[in-house]
Amino acid sequence: MVAISEIKRHKTHAVKVRHITVGGGAPVVVQSMTNTDTADLDKTFEQVKQLYLAGSEIIRVTVNNDEAAIGVAKLRDRLDKENLEVPLVGCFHYNGHTLLNDHPSMAQALDKYRINPGNVGFGKKRDSQYEQMIETAIKYNKAVRIGVNWGSLDQALATKLMDENAKFDTPRSSDEIMRETLVESALMSAEKAQEIGLSKDKIILSAKVSRVQDLIAVYGALADRSNYALHLGLTEAGMASKGIIATALGEGILLQQGIGDTIRASLTPEPNGDRTLEVRVCQEILQALNIRSFMPEVSACPGCGRTTSTYFQELAQDIQRHLDINMPIWAKDYPGVETMKVAVMGCIVNGPGESKHADIGISLPGTGESPVAPVFTDGKKSHTLRGDNIAQEFHDLVDNYVKNRFGNAA
C-alpha cells in the first residue's frame, strides 16, 4: 500500500491581518488584487466585493497618489457599512512614505502595507524613506509585507554580489546571483524593520519572480534561512492557460513542500475579463493538494470512442453549475458540504468504480450500452435512472444527499 503523508508545514510566525491569521500553522490564505483606479470608489468597491464574495480573504489595492489614498479611507467605510470584513492591503511604490504621512486616515484604514525595498527610494533617501514607512506601520499597529521583486531589485546589493562573485575561480551564474539578491534583500529588509521596532509577528515576506524554477529556488532558500510568514506568487504569470499552469506548478510544488502561508495567482486578465478567476485558481490549487476545501468536486471522465454522445459532458457541466449556484446557500446551512465529491462518468468501464469512490456519483450509458444510469451513494448503488429526465432527477438526488448528510452538522 502506498502511504500518502500529510504535508508538513514550514514553521512560521503568525501574523494578524485584521481578523485573518497568516502563518503560524493557520490555513493557507487566498489573496487577490484589484486592477481598478483606487480613486474610483464605485468601481473599486464593486471589484473588491466581487473578489471577496468569490473567496478572496485578503485584497490588495494600489495606493499611488493622493486621490487613491483618499479613496482607500472611503472604500473602508463603505465596506464596513455593508459588513464586508475583508482586510485591505495598500501597495506602495516610490512615494509611499509621503502618502502614509500625508493621509493618516488611509494609513489607519489599511490592514497591511506592501513595501518593495527596491522601490522605496534611491541613494541616501532610501533608508530614511523605508524607515518612515516602517515607523508608520508601528504607529498604527499594522502588518507589513516586505515584497521584493526581480523587476525592481536592490541595485546596490545586486552590484555588490556580482562584484564578489566575479572574484571566485568558478563564479555562479547570473541567475543564481539574481536569486541570492532577492533572498538577501528580503531578509536584510526584514531585519532592518525589526531594528526600527517592527515586531516579527507583523512581517510577511515575498520574493516575486516570473519563472517557475526561480520561484521554487528563492522560496526554498527563504524557508531554509528564516521563519517569517511567506506570501507565494509568480509575478506576471501570464494569460489564460499559460499563467494558470505556471502558477499551479510553482506554488503547488512549494505548498507540497510545506512552504507558503498566503498565495495569489497574478494572472493577466482578458480585456474586461473576470478578475475573480485568480481567486478560483488559488482555491483549486489548495483543493487539488488537499490543503483546503472550497467547493464540492465534480469528477468527470475525459471521453473516448465509447462516449460519442456529449450527454455526460453536458450533465457534468450542468451539475457543476448547479453546485456553483447553490454553494453560497449550502455553505451557510450545511457545514462541510465543500468536501463533497460528485462523479459524472460516461460509460461502464470506469463509471461504476469511480462513482463508488465519490460521495454520490452517476454512471451514464456509453455508446451501445443499455440506456440506464446507476447512481451510487456512499459507495453503494442506490438508484437506477432512465428516460429523458435523468439530469433533473440526479439534481434532486444531489440536493437530498446534501440535506441528509450535511444538514445534521448544522
Side-chain angles (χ1 to χ4, degrees), residues 63-98:
V63 190
N64 58 333
N65 53 38
D66 292 314
E67 291 76 18
I70 294 168
V72 166
K74 293 179 179 178
L75 174 63
R76 181 75 268 167
D77 286 343
R78 186 178 292 189
L79 290 169
D80 289 343
K81 287 177 182 177
E82 293 211 16
N83 296 316
L84 301 176
E85 281 292 308
V86 59
L88 293 178
V89 180
C91 187
F92 297 100
H93 294 282
Y94 307 112
N95 60 351
H97 62 292
T98 300

Side-chain angles (χ1 to χ4, degrees), residues 331-361:
K332 296 177 182 178
D333 296 340
Y334 304 112
V337 69
E338 68 277 1
T339 65
M340 182 173 67
K341 305 289 190 295
V342 181
V344 180
M345 306 304 295
C347 78
I348 199 171
V349 174
N350 290 317
E354 291 284 353
S355 297
K356 289 178 183 178
H357 287 301
D359 294 308
I360 182 169

Side-chain angles (χ1 to χ4, degrees), residues 15-163:
V15 180
K16 291 291 288 187
V17 184
R18 205 173 179 87
H19 63 283
I20 299 291
T21 300
V22 176
V28 179
V29 175
V30 173
Q31 292 199 33
S32 63
M33 184 176 183
T34 59
N35 63 351
T36 57
D37 180 354
T38 309
D40 188 329
L41 179 59
D42 291 336
K43 286 185 178 179
T44 303
F45 172 79
E46 286 303 321
Q47 191 171 93
V48 169
K49 184 176 180 179
Q50 290 172 8
L51 291 166
Y52 176 70
L53 294 178
S56 182
E57 293 159 307
I58 297 177
I59 298 175
R60 183 157 55 113
V61 298
T62 297
V63 190
N64 58 333
N65 53 38
D66 292 314
E67 291 76 18
I70 294 168
V72 166
K74 293 179 179 178
L75 174 63
R76 181 75 268 167
D77 286 343
R78 186 178 292 189
L79 290 169
D80 289 343
K81 287 177 182 177
E82 293 211 16
N83 296 316
L84 301 176
E85 281 292 308
V86 59
L88 293 178
V89 180
C91 187
F92 297 100
H93 294 282
Y94 307 112
N95 60 351
H97 62 292
T98 300
L99 293 173
L100 286 167
N101 179 71
D102 293 349
H103 300 276
S105 59
M106 175 269 293
Q108 180 63 52
L110 292 170
D111 300 290
K112 183 172 71 172
Y113 306 158
R114 193 271 190 173
I115 303 174
N116 182 345
N119 285 344
V120 294
F122 303 98
K124 296 179 180 180
K125 294 182 178 180
R126 188 185 65 178
D127 288 346
S128 64
Q129 291 174 181
Y130 180 72
E131 185 170 345
Q132 288 177 52
M133 297 181 75
I134 296 299
E135 287 176 342
T136 303
I138 295 169
K139 177 180 178 180
Y140 293 107
N141 195 32
K142 303 297 181 179
V144 173
R145 169 152 73 97
I146 297 171
V148 299
N149 191 303
W150 77 338
S152 50
L153 280 172
D154 181 333
Q155 290 304 309
L157 177 60
T159 300
K160 173 178 176 290
L161 292 178
M162 285 189 290
D163 289 344

Side-chain angles (χ1 to χ4, degrees), residues 152-258:
S152 50
L153 280 172
D154 181 333
Q155 290 304 309
L157 177 60
T159 300
K160 173 178 176 290
L161 292 178
M162 285 189 290
D163 289 344
E164 292 175 352
N165 184 58
K167 297 176 182 178
F168 293 118
D169 293 335
T170 307
R172 291 183 292 176
S173 69
S174 58
D175 280 350
E176 289 178 295
I177 297 302
M178 179 273 294
R179 293 169 181 171
E180 181 61 24
T181 303
L182 283 167
V183 173
E184 289 198 21
S185 177
L187 295 177
M188 290 168 57
S189 298
E191 291 169 5
K192 178 66 175 177
Q194 286 188 256
E195 290 173 5
I196 297 168
L198 188 68
S199 61
K200 199 168 190 176
D201 62 0
K202 294 292 184 184
I203 299 173
I204 298 171
L205 296 186
S206 69
K208 296 290 198 71
V209 295
S210 58
R211 298 188 305 212
V212 170
Q213 294 292 358
D214 291 324
L215 187 83
I216 295 167
V218 168
Y219 276 92
L222 283 174
D224 286 342
R225 292 155 64 174
S226 75
N227 57 3
Y228 294 105
L230 298 176
H231 169 77
L232 302 185
L234 192 71
T235 192
E236 295 110 21
M239 297 180 287
S241 60
K242 183 268 182 187
I244 293 171
I245 291 169
T247 298
L249 281 171
E251 295 183 2
I253 289 170
L254 288 166
L255 289 165
Q256 182 65 26
Q257 296 174 0

